Amino acid sequence: MTTATSTARTTGANSPLAAVLRTETRLFLREPGSLFWILAFPTVLLTILGLIPSFREDDAALGGRSVIDLYVPVAVLLGMIMAGLQAMPPVLTGYRERGILRRMSATPVRPSALLTAQIALHGAASVGSALLAMAVGRMAFGVRLPGQPVGYLLALLLAVACVLALGATICALSRTTKASAAVGSVAYLVMMFTAGVWVPVQTMPGLLRRIVEATPFGAASQALDQAASGNWPDWAHLLVMAVWTAALGAAATRLFRWE
Amino acid sequence: MPIIEVDGVRKAYAGRVAVDGVGFSVEEGEIFGILGPNGAGKTTTVECVEGLRIPDAGTVRVAGLDPATDRDRVTLLLGAQLQESELQPKLTVGEALRLYSAFYPHPADWRSLAERLGLDSHLDRRFAKLSGGQKQRLFIALALIGNPRVVVLDELTTGLDPRARRDTWQLIEEIRDSGVTVLLVTHFMEEAQRLCDRVAVIDKGRLVALDTPAGLIDRTAGSTVISFTPSEPLPAAELAGLPGAASVSVAESDGRVLVHGTDDTANAVISLLARHRVTARHLRVLETSLDDAFLDLTEQDART
């Protein structure tokens, strides 16, 4: 009877996992800083750039596209980087450091439920941020919606998975919240560069671009750009992201300390 | 059948032995204390009971189940308040209670639990804004929310002011009265003396005594302390010859006499005073506290 009851309760609206997700969603919405940097900041940056007239003009050097066309995928990646590398690592390490995970391991629910909920919420916020940037790009600056929506969505989801795996690896490697914030910031700057926040990947010189394309966000930037222009993204770019995600995910799972 | 059985448990961290062959059993319905100085291995011992640590050797059973291998079932019948654990800073009291009650198939009614623990007026307050006493009451509530048969309370009153500590003691007695067995870890003798039916004294990872608080006190040499200032000096030989006297000292300044002995010694002092027609000013007869018994036990251990 006990088994039947507990099985029945692992699914449905009142299951422990649903309760954890509901509670963590509420807590996530109580972090105005994270919400701003993940959801609003990339679109704000896009808007500021879009207000510069020359950035809206088509440029022959960019293959007949405008700077703002190239910046929509950058804004999309920026939201993910904010979520996975800036916002998430301190939350997860804080849960460990404060003994919140430990308290939960003394209940019938495994503490991994808390981590999974937080990772899922940061992933969902990244996707929300991406949709917002694309909508504003379309409505305010006439940036075309992705010509190859399926390819775009695939590249987007792979990039989200990759950044979450990287954020989780940072948590696994850092003993303290401070350390994870510091490591997260370094990774964040590197990822911002490879995602093309300062110089769009598409305009980088040959060798540098090759190197950047081997990083998760360099590959993501290229794949999103290709799908935005209506082509199926290169399998090589998708493969780079998939390999990074698998490797980082395995590292995070193996190295994570529960205490 | 005992609800908790611990036998020959040993646990080392990186070569340092934290618990070395500790064993005891807890009967259903008692408040069982684990007493010892800081770093004695108390927390490690109860963490093995809670299933949070797996002992290197020895066996642990909670209602016949092994917490290391049957953790899911043990967590359903054992509620825990952990030392140094927190909740999400922005989680409110009400949310915490609702969340934790969703973890158990047959939870207690969290509203009446909140009322019983005086948390009902703070349901919307965030964890980070709670006082030390409120946090501890919330952790007691979370330990009780799954309707457990046993609760483990680890250093529950450390850091509380004397008033909050006394209120907490009252709560622990109420928990026992409601039929839940309590395993209480503490380094406060007064707490153990007031609450516990039996006490295991742990020092440097070993069990050094297991008895009722009164039993532990009785073991101490000179458990009754008699002190007085006689109106005239008493013969030293007669003082030293008092039945049961463990030690006698007379202060040179004011002639105040201090005798460590037993109940018999106290009676003998009174008849000695009467025989010599000496009056005693500031006569005090005190029982040693569990404090003294504890120091006595742990010092014996340090000497061996």
Side-chain angles (χ1 to χ4, degrees), chain A residues 35-107:
Chain A
L35 291 174
F36 171 77
W37 289 108
I38 299 170
L39 287 167
F41 177 69
T43 300
V44 169
L45 188 68
L46 184 72
T47 308
I48 292 169
L49 294 174
L51 292 175
I52 301 169
S54 64
F55 283 5
R56 294 199 301 268
E57 286 161 17
D58 290 350
D59 187 341
L62 301 175
R65 288 174 299 167
S66 65
V67 171
I68 203 73
D69 284 334
L70 295 183
Y71 258 99
V72 170
V74 169
V76 163
L77 292 176
L78 191 58
M80 291 177 199
I81 294 171
M82 289 293 179
L85 303 182
Q86 286 286 89
M88 191 177 79
V91 176
L92 300 191
T93 35
Y95 277 12
R96 174 178 57 204
E97 204 171 45
R98 293 165 184 273
I100 296 166
L101 297 179
R102 201 169 160 65
R103 178 63 190 83
M104 198 175 251
S105 31
T107 74

Coordinates of all heavy atoms in Angstrom, one line a residue, chain A residues 35-107:
Chain A
L35 N 16.2 38.5 -12.9 CA 15.2 38.7 -14.0 C 15.6 39.8 -14.9 O 15.4 39.7 -16.1 CB 13.8 39.0 -13.3 CG 13.2 37.9 -12.6 CD1 11.9 38.4 -11.8 CD2 12.9 36.7 -13.5
F36 N 16.1 40.9 -14.4 CA 16.6 42.0 -15.2 C 17.7 41.6 -16.2 O 17.6 41.8 -17.4 CB 17.0 43.2 -14.4 CG 17.7 44.3 -15.3 CD1 16.9 45.2 -16.0 CD2 19.1 44.4 -15.4 CE1 17.5 46.1 -16.9 CE2 19.7 45.4 -16.2 CZ 18.9 46.2 -16.9
W37 N 18.7 41.0 -15.6 CA 19.9 40.7 -16.5 C 19.6 39.6 -17.5 O 20.1 39.6 -18.6 CB 21.1 40.2 -15.6 CG 21.7 41.4 -14.9 CD1 21.6 41.6 -13.5 CD2 22.4 42.5 -15.4 NE1 22.3 42.8 -13.2 CE2 22.8 43.3 -14.3 CE3 22.9 42.8 -16.7 CZ2 23.5 44.5 -14.5 CZ3 23.6 44.0 -16.9 CH2 23.9 44.8 -15.8
I38 N 18.7 38.7 -17.1 CA 18.4 37.6 -18.1 C 17.3 38.1 -19.1 O 17.6 37.9 -20.3 CB 17.8 36.3 -17.4 CG1 18.9 35.8 -16.4 CG2 17.4 35.3 -18.4 CD1 18.3 34.7 -15.5
L39 N 16.2 38.6 -18.6 CA 15.1 38.9 -19.5 C 15.2 40.2 -20.2 O 14.9 40.4 -21.4 CB 13.8 38.7 -18.8 CG 13.4 37.3 -18.4 CD1 12.3 37.3 -17.4 CD2 13.0 36.5 -19.6
A40 N 15.5 41.3 -19.4 CA 15.4 42.6 -20.0 C 16.7 43.1 -20.6 O 16.7 43.7 -21.7 CB 15.0 43.6 -18.9
F41 N 17.9 42.9 -20.0 CA 19.1 43.4 -20.4 C 19.5 43.2 -21.9 O 19.8 44.1 -22.7 CB 20.3 43.0 -19.5 CG 21.6 43.5 -20.0 CD1 21.9 44.9 -19.9 CD2 22.6 42.7 -20.5 CE1 23.1 45.4 -20.3 CE2 23.8 43.2 -20.9 CZ 24.1 44.5 -20.8
P42 N 19.4 41.9 -22.4 CA 19.8 41.7 -23.8 C 18.9 42.5 -24.8 O 19.4 43.1 -25.7 CB 19.5 40.2 -24.0 CG 19.6 39.6 -22.6 CD 19.1 40.6 -21.7
T43 N 17.6 42.6 -24.5 CA 16.7 43.4 -25.4 C 17.0 44.9 -25.2 O 16.9 45.6 -26.2 CB 15.3 43.0 -25.0 OG1 15.1 41.6 -25.2 CG2 14.3 43.8 -25.9
V44 N 17.3 45.3 -24.0 CA 17.7 46.7 -23.8 C 18.9 47.1 -24.7 O 18.9 48.1 -25.4 CB 17.9 47.1 -22.3 CG1 18.5 48.4 -22.1 CG2 16.6 47.0 -21.6
L45 N 19.9 46.2 -24.6 CA 21.1 46.4 -25.4 C 20.8 46.5 -26.9 O 21.3 47.3 -27.6 CB 22.1 45.3 -25.1 CG 23.5 45.5 -25.6 CD1 24.2 46.7 -24.9 CD2 24.4 44.2 -25.4
L46 N 20.0 45.5 -27.3 CA 19.6 45.5 -28.7 C 18.9 46.8 -29.1 O 19.2 47.3 -30.2 CB 18.7 44.3 -28.9 CG 18.3 44.0 -30.4 CD1 19.4 43.4 -31.2 CD2 17.1 43.0 -30.4
T47 N 18.1 47.3 -28.3 CA 17.3 48.5 -28.6 C 18.3 49.7 -28.7 O 18.2 50.5 -29.6 CB 16.3 48.8 -27.5 OG1 15.5 47.6 -27.3 CG2 15.4 49.9 -27.8
I48 N 19.3 49.7 -27.7 CA 20.2 50.9 -27.8 C 21.0 50.8 -29.1 O 21.1 51.8 -29.8 CB 21.2 50.8 -26.6 CG1 20.4 51.1 -25.3 CG2 22.3 51.8 -26.8 CD1 21.2 50.8 -24.0
L49 N 21.5 49.7 -29.5 CA 22.2 49.5 -30.7 C 21.3 49.9 -31.9 O 21.8 50.5 -32.9 CB 22.8 48.1 -30.9 CG 23.9 47.8 -29.9 CD1 24.3 46.3 -30.0 CD2 25.1 48.7 -30.0
G50 N 20.1 49.4 -31.8 CA 19.1 49.6 -32.9 C 18.8 51.1 -33.1 O 18.3 51.5 -34.2
L51 N 19.0 51.9 -32.1 CA 18.7 53.4 -32.2 C 19.8 54.1 -32.9 O 19.7 55.3 -33.3 CB 18.5 54.0 -30.8 CG 17.2 53.4 -30.1 CD1 17.1 54.0 -28.7 CD2 16.0 53.8 -30.9
I52 N 21.0 53.4 -33.2 CA 22.0 54.1 -33.9 C 21.7 53.9 -35.4 O 21.7 52.7 -35.9 CB 23.4 53.4 -33.6 CG1 23.7 53.6 -32.1 CG2 24.5 54.0 -34.5 CD1 24.9 52.8 -31.6
P53 N 21.5 55.0 -36.2 CA 20.9 54.8 -37.5 C 21.8 53.9 -38.4 O 21.3 53.1 -39.2 CB 20.9 56.3 -38.1 CG 20.8 57.1 -36.8 CD 21.6 56.4 -35.8
S54 N 23.2 54.1 -38.4 CA 24.0 53.4 -39.3 C 23.9 51.9 -39.1 O 24.2 51.1 -40.0 CB 25.5 53.9 -39.2 OG 26.0 53.5 -37.9
F55 N 23.6 51.4 -37.9 CA 23.5 50.0 -37.6 C 22.3 49.4 -38.2 O 22.1 48.2 -38.3 CB 23.4 49.8 -36.1 CG 24.8 49.9 -35.4 CD1 25.9 50.3 -36.1 CD2 24.9 49.6 -34.0 CE1 27.1 50.4 -35.5 CE2 26.2 49.7 -33.4 CZ 27.3 50.1 -34.1
R56 N 21.3 50.2 -38.6 CA 20.1 49.7 -39.3 C 20.3 49.6 -40.8 O 19.4 49.1 -41.5 CB 18.9 50.5 -38.9 CG 18.5 50.5 -37.5 CD 17.1 51.0 -37.2 NE 16.9 52.3 -37.7 CZ 17.0 53.4 -37.0 NH1 17.4 53.3 -35.7 NH2 16.7 54.6 -37.5
E57 N 21.4 50.1 -41.3 CA 21.6 50.1 -42.8 C 22.3 48.8 -43.2 O 23.2 48.4 -42.6 CB 22.4 51.4 -43.2 CG 21.6 52.6 -43.1 CD 22.5 53.9 -43.1 OE1 23.7 53.7 -43.5 OE2 22.0 54.9 -42.7
D58 N 21.8 48.3 -44.4 CA 22.4 47.1 -44.9 C 23.8 47.4 -45.4 O 24.1 48.5 -45.9 CB 21.6 46.6 -46.1 CG 20.2 46.1 -45.7 OD1 20.1 45.9 -44.4 OD2 19.4 45.8 -46.5
D59 N 24.7 46.5 -45.1 CA 26.1 46.7 -45.3 C 26.6 45.6 -46.3 O 26.4 44.4 -45.9 CB 26.9 46.7 -44.0 CG 28.3 47.1 -44.1 OD1 28.9 47.0 -45.3 OD2 28.9 47.4 -43.1
A60 N 27.2 46.0 -47.4 CA 27.7 45.0 -48.3 C 28.8 44.1 -47.7 O 28.8 42.9 -47.9 CB 28.3 45.7 -49.5
A61 N 29.6 44.6 -46.7 CA 30.6 43.9 -46.0 C 30.0 42.8 -45.2 O 30.7 41.8 -44.8 CB 31.5 44.8 -45.2
L62 N 28.8 42.9 -44.8 CA 28.1 41.9 -43.9 C 27.2 41.0 -44.8 O 26.2 40.5 -44.3 CB 27.3 42.6 -42.8 CG 28.1 43.5 -41.8 CD1 27.2 44.2 -40.9 CD2 29.2 42.6 -41.1
G63 N 27.4 41.0 -46.1 CA 26.6 40.1 -46.9 C 25.2 40.8 -47.1 O 24.2 40.1 -47.2
G64 N 25.2 42.1 -47.2 CA 24.0 42.8 -47.5 C 23.0 42.9 -46.3 O 21.8 43.2 -46.4
R65 N 23.5 42.6 -45.1 CA 22.7 42.7 -43.9 C 23.1 43.8 -43.0 O 24.2 44.4 -43.2 CB 22.7 41.4 -43.1 CG 22.0 40.3 -43.8 CD 22.2 39.0 -43.1 NE 23.6 38.6 -43.0 CZ 24.0 37.6 -42.2 NH1 23.2 37.0 -41.5 NH2 25.3 37.3 -42.3
S66 N 22.3 44.3 -42.1 CA 22.7 45.3 -41.2 C 23.3 44.8 -39.9 O 23.2 43.6 -39.6 CB 21.4 46.2 -40.8 OG 20.6 45.4 -40.1
V67 N 24.0 45.7 -39.2 CA 24.6 45.2 -37.9 C 23.5 44.7 -36.9 O 23.7 43.7 -36.3 CB 25.3 46.4 -37.2 CG1 25.8 46.1 -35.8 CG2 26.5 46.8 -38.1
I68 N 22.4 45.3 -36.9 CA 21.3 44.9 -36.0 C 20.8 43.5 -36.4 O 20.4 42.7 -35.5 CB 20.2 45.9 -36.0 CG1 19.4 45.8 -34.7 CG2 19.3 45.8 -37.2 CD1 20.1 46.4 -33.5
D69 N 20.9 43.1 -37.7 CA 20.5 41.8 -38.1 C 21.4 40.8 -37.3 O 21.0 39.7 -36.9 CB 20.7 41.6 -39.6 CG 19.5 42.2 -40.4 OD1 18.4 42.3 -39.8 OD2 19.8 42.6 -41.5
L70 N 22.7 41.1 -37.3 CA 23.7 40.2 -36.6 C 23.5 40.2 -35.1 O 23.9 39.3 -34.5 CB 25.1 40.6 -37.0 CG 25.5 40.5 -38.5 CD1 27.0 40.8 -38.7 CD2 25.2 39.1 -39.0
Y71 N 23.0 41.3 -34.6 CA 23.0 41.4 -33.1 C 21.8 40.7 -32.5 O 21.8 40.5 -31.3 CB 23.0 42.9 -32.7 CG 24.4 43.2 -32.2 CD1 25.3 43.9 -33.0 CD2 24.8 42.8 -30.9 CE1 26.6 44.1 -32.6 CE2 26.1 43.1 -30.5 CZ 27.0 43.7 -31.3 OH 28.3 44.0 -30.9
V72 N 20.8 40.4 -33.3 CA 19.6 39.6 -32.7 C 20.1 38.3 -32.1 O 19.9 38.0 -30.9 CB 18.4 39.5 -33.6 CG1 17.4 38.5 -33.1 CG2 17.8 40.9 -33.8
P73 N 20.9 37.5 -32.9 CA 21.4 36.2 -32.3 C 22.3 36.5 -31.1 O 22.4 35.7 -30.2 CB 22.2 35.6 -33.5 CG 21.6 36.2 -34.7 CD 21.2 37.6 -34.3
V74 N 23.1 37.6 -31.2 CA 24.0 37.9 -30.1 C 23.2 38.2 -28.8 O 23.5 37.7 -27.7 CB 24.9 39.2 -30.4 CG1 25.6 39.7 -29.2 CG2 25.8 38.8 -31.5
A75 N 22.1 39.0 -29.0 CA 21.2 39.2 -27.8 C 20.6 37.9 -27.3 O 20.4 37.8 -26.0 CB 20.1 40.2 -28.2
V76 N 20.2 37.1 -28.2 CA 19.7 35.8 -27.8 C 20.7 35.0 -26.9 O 20.3 34.5 -25.9 CB 19.3 35.0 -29.1 CG1 19.1 33.5 -28.7 CG2 18.0 35.6 -29.7
L77 N 21.9 35.0 -27.4 CA 23.0 34.3 -26.6 C 23.3 35.0 -25.3 O 23.6 34.3 -24.3 CB 24.2 34.1 -27.5 CG 24.1 33.2 -28.7 CD1 25.4 33.2 -29.5 CD2 23.8 31.8 -28.3
L78 N 23.2 36.3 -25.3 CA 23.5 37.0 -24.1 C 22.6 36.7 -23.0 O 23.0 36.5 -21.8 CB 23.4 38.5 -24.5 CG 24.0 39.5 -23.4 CD1 25.4 39.2 -23.1 CD2 23.8 41.0 -23.9
G79 N 21.3 36.5 -23.3 CA 20.4 36.1 -22.2 C 20.7 34.8 -21.6 O 20.6 34.6 -20.4
M80 N 21.1 33.9 -22.5 CA 21.5 32.5 -22.0 C 22.7 32.6 -21.1 O 22.8 31.9 -20.1 CB 21.9 31.6 -23.2 CG 20.8 31.3 -24.1 SD 21.5 30.3 -25.4 CE 20.2 30.5 -26.6
I81 N 23.7 33.4 -21.5 CA 24.9 33.5 -20.8 C 24.6 34.1 -19.4 O 25.1 33.7 -18.4 CB 26.0 34.4 -21.6 CG1 26.4 33.6 -22.8 CG2 27.2 34.7 -20.7 CD1 27.2 34.4 -23.8
M82 N 23.8 35.1 -19.4 CA 23.4 35.8 -18.1 C 22.7 34.7 -17.2 O 23.0 34.7 -16.0 CB 22.4 36.9 -18.4 CG 23.0 38.1 -19.0 SD 24.1 38.9 -17.9 CE 24.7 40.2 -18.9
A83 N 21.8 33.9 -17.8 CA 21.1 32.9 -17.0 C 22.0 31.8 -16.5 O 22.1 31.5 -15.3 CB 20.0 32.3 -17.8
G84 N 22.8 31.3 -17.4 CA 23.6 30.1 -17.0 C 24.9 30.4 -16.3 O 25.3 29.6 -15.5
L85 N 25.5 31.5 -16.6 CA 26.8 31.7 -16.0 C 26.8 32.8 -14.9 O 27.7 32.8 -14.0 CB 27.8 32.1 -17.1 CG 28.0 31.1 -18.2 CD1 29.1 31.6 -19.2 CD2 28.4 29.7 -17.6
Q86 N 25.9 33.8 -15.0 CA 25.9 34.8 -14.0 C 24.8 34.5 -12.8 O 25.1 34.6 -11.7 CB 25.5 36.2 -14.6 CG 26.6 36.8 -15.4 CD 27.7 37.3 -14.6 OE1 28.6 36.6 -14.2 NE2 27.6 38.6 -14.2
A87 N 23.6 34.2 -13.2 CA 22.6 34.0 -12.3 C 22.6 32.6 -11.6 O 22.4 32.5 -10.4 CB 21.2 34.3 -12.9
M88 N 22.7 31.6 -12.3 CA 22.5 30.2 -11.8 C 23.6 29.7 -10.8 O 23.3 29.2 -9.8 CB 22.3 29.2 -12.9 CG 21.8 27.9 -12.5 SD 21.5 26.8 -13.8 CE 23.2 26.2 -14.2
P89 N 24.9 29.9 -11.2 CA 25.9 29.3 -10.3 C 25.8 29.7 -8.8 O 25.9 28.9 -7.9 CB 27.2 29.7 -10.9 CG 26.9 29.8 -12.3 CD 25.5 30.4 -12.4
P90 N 25.6 31.0 -8.5 CA 25.5 31.4 -7.1 C 24.3 30.8 -6.4 O 24.4 30.5 -5.2 CB 25.4 32.9 -7.1 CG 25.9 33.3 -8.4 CD 25.6 32.2 -9.4
V91 N 23.2 30.6 -7.1 CA 22.0 30.0 -6.5 C 22.3 28.6 -6.1 O 22.1 28.1 -5.0 CB 20.8 30.0 -7.5 CG1 19.6 29.3 -6.9 CG2 20.5 31.5 -7.8
L92 N 22.9 27.8 -7.1 CA 23.1 26.4 -6.8 C 24.2 26.2 -5.7 O 24.0 25.4 -4.8 CB 23.5 25.6 -8.1 CG 22.6 25.6 -9.2 CD1 23.0 24.6 -10.3 CD2 21.2 25.3 -8.8
T93 N 25.3 26.9 -5.8 CA 26.3 26.7 -4.7 C 25.8 27.2 -3.4 O 26.1 26.7 -2.3 CB 27.6 27.5 -5.0 OG1 27.3 28.7 -5.7 CG2 28.5 26.6 -5.9
G94 N 24.9 28.3 -3.4 CA 24.3 28.8 -2.2 C 23.4 27.7 -1.5 O 23.5 27.5 -0.3
Y95 N 22.7 27.0 -2.3 CA 21.9 25.9 -1.8 C 22.7 24.8 -1.1 O 22.3 24.2 -0.1 CB 21.1 25.2 -2.9 CG 19.8 26.0 -3.3 CD1 19.6 27.3 -2.8 CD2 18.8 25.4 -4.1 CE1 18.4 28.0 -3.1 CE2 17.7 26.1 -4.4 CZ 17.5 27.4 -3.9 OH 16.3 28.1 -4.2
R96 N 23.9 24.6 -1.7 CA 24.8 23.6 -1.0 C 25.4 24.2 0.3 O 25.4 23.6 1.3 CB 25.9 23.2 -2.0 CG 26.9 22.3 -1.3 CD 27.9 21.8 -2.3 NE 28.6 23.0 -2.9 CZ 29.2 23.0 -4.1 NH1 29.2 21.9 -4.8 NH2 29.7 24.0 -4.6
E97 N 25.9 25.4 0.1 CA 26.6 26.1 1.2 C 25.8 26.3 2.4 O 26.2 26.2 3.6 CB 27.2 27.4 0.7 CG 28.4 27.9 1.4 CD 29.0 29.1 0.7 OE1 28.2 30.0 0.3 OE2 30.2 29.1 0.6
R98 N 24.5 26.7 2.2 CA 23.6 27.0 3.3 C 23.0 25.7 3.9 O 22.2 25.8 4.8 CB 22.5 27.9 2.9 CG 22.9 29.2 2.5 CD 21.8 29.9 1.7 NE 22.2 31.2 1.2 CZ 22.1 32.3 2.0 NH1 21.6 32.3 3.1 NH2 22.5 33.5 1.5
G99 N 23.3 24.5 3.4 CA 22.8 23.3 4.0 C 21.3 23.1 3.5 O 20.6 22.2 4.1
I100 N 20.9 23.8 2.5 CA 19.5 23.6 2.0 C 19.3 22.2 1.3 O 18.3 21.5 1.5 CB 19.1 24.7 1.0 CG1 19.1 26.1 1.8 CG2 17.8 24.5 0.4 CD1 19.1 27.3 0.9
L101 N 20.4 21.8 0.6 CA 20.3 20.5 0.0 C 20.4 19.4 1.0 O 19.7 18.4 0.9 CB 21.6 20.3 -1.0 CG 21.6 21.3 -2.2 CD1 22.9 21.0 -3.0 CD2 20.4 21.2 -3.0
R102 N 21.2 19.7 2.0 CA 21.3 18.7 3.1 C 20.0 18.5 3.9 O 19.6 17.4 4.2 CB 22.4 19.3 4.1 CG 23.0 18.3 4.9 CD 24.2 18.9 5.6 NE 24.5 18.1 6.8 CZ 24.9 16.8 6.7 NH1 25.0 16.3 5.5 NH2 25.0 16.1 7.7
R103 N 19.3 19.6 4.2 CA 18.1 19.5 4.9 C 17.1 18.7 4.0 O 16.4 17.9 4.6 CB 17.5 20.9 5.1 CG 16.1 20.9 5.8 CD 16.2 20.3 7.2 NE 14.9 20.0 7.8 CZ 14.2 18.9 7.6 NH1 14.6 18.0 6.7 NH2 13.1 18.8 8.2
M104 N 17.1 18.9 2.7 CA 16.2 18.1 1.9 C 16.6 16.6 1.8 O 15.7 15.8 1.6 CB 16.2 18.7 0.5 CG 14.9 18.2 -0.2 SD 14.7 19.0 -1.8 CE 13.4 20.1 -1.5
S105 N 17.9 16.3 2.0 CA 18.2 14.9 1.9 C 17.7 14.1 3.1 O 17.8 12.9 3.1 CB 19.7 14.6 1.7 OG 20.5 15.6 2.2
A106 N 17.3 14.8 4.2 CA 16.7 14.2 5.3 C 15.2 14.0 5.1 O 14.5 13.6 6.0 CB 17.0 14.9 6.6
T107 N 14.7 14.2 3.9 CA 13.2 14.0 3.6 C 13.1 12.9 2.5 O 14.2 12.5 2.0 CB 12.6 15.3 3.0 OG1 13.0 15.4 1.7 CG2 12.9 16.5 3.8

